[in-house]
Amino acid sequence: AGIEERADDRPTGFERAWMEEFASGLKPYQRAVLGCLLHGLTWREAGTALGCTSANIAYHVRQIRREYAAYSHSGAPAARSAP
């Protein structure tokens, strides 16, 4: 069966739990960057909000992506399908 489309973009309970688990393994500043981006801020806006440059945000996004790759390959719940 295919993936069902939802009427909105709000995460399900499973997705929310997975995001919280992943984010809990990030450094505090990485969580702040991720939070800004999840709230729809651009890299420049996130930099302004956090008192740094967009280049610094780009660096942290690369680090978050590396953490995500390691997390998803570790057999974490996100790497498996929801029941």
Side-chain angles (χ1 to χ4, degrees):
I3 297 173
E4 290 183 32
E5 290 188 33
R6 293 197 314 257
D8 59 42
D9 290 335
R10 291 179 295 168
T12 64
F14 175 80
E15 292 166 336
R16 185 179 311 279
W18 166 80
M19 287 188 292
E20 289 173 4
E21 181 181 322
F22 169 69
S24 72
L26 297 175
K27 294 177 182 176
Y29 202 79
Q30 291 171 334
R31 283 194 303 271
V33 169
L34 183 60
C36 286
L37 300 177
L38 289 174
H39 280 95
L41 274 63
T42 65
W43 289 10
R44 181 172 290 166
E45 292 167 337
T48 298
L50 297 174
C52 65
T53 66
S54 60
N56 192 253
I57 295 298
Y59 167 80
H60 288 291
V61 168
R62 285 192 305 274
Q63 299 304 312
I64 293 167
R65 287 178 177 160
R66 287 184 184 132
E67 290 293 328
Y68 176 74
Y71 178 81
S72 65
H73 287 88
S74 71
R80 298 187 296 265
S81 298

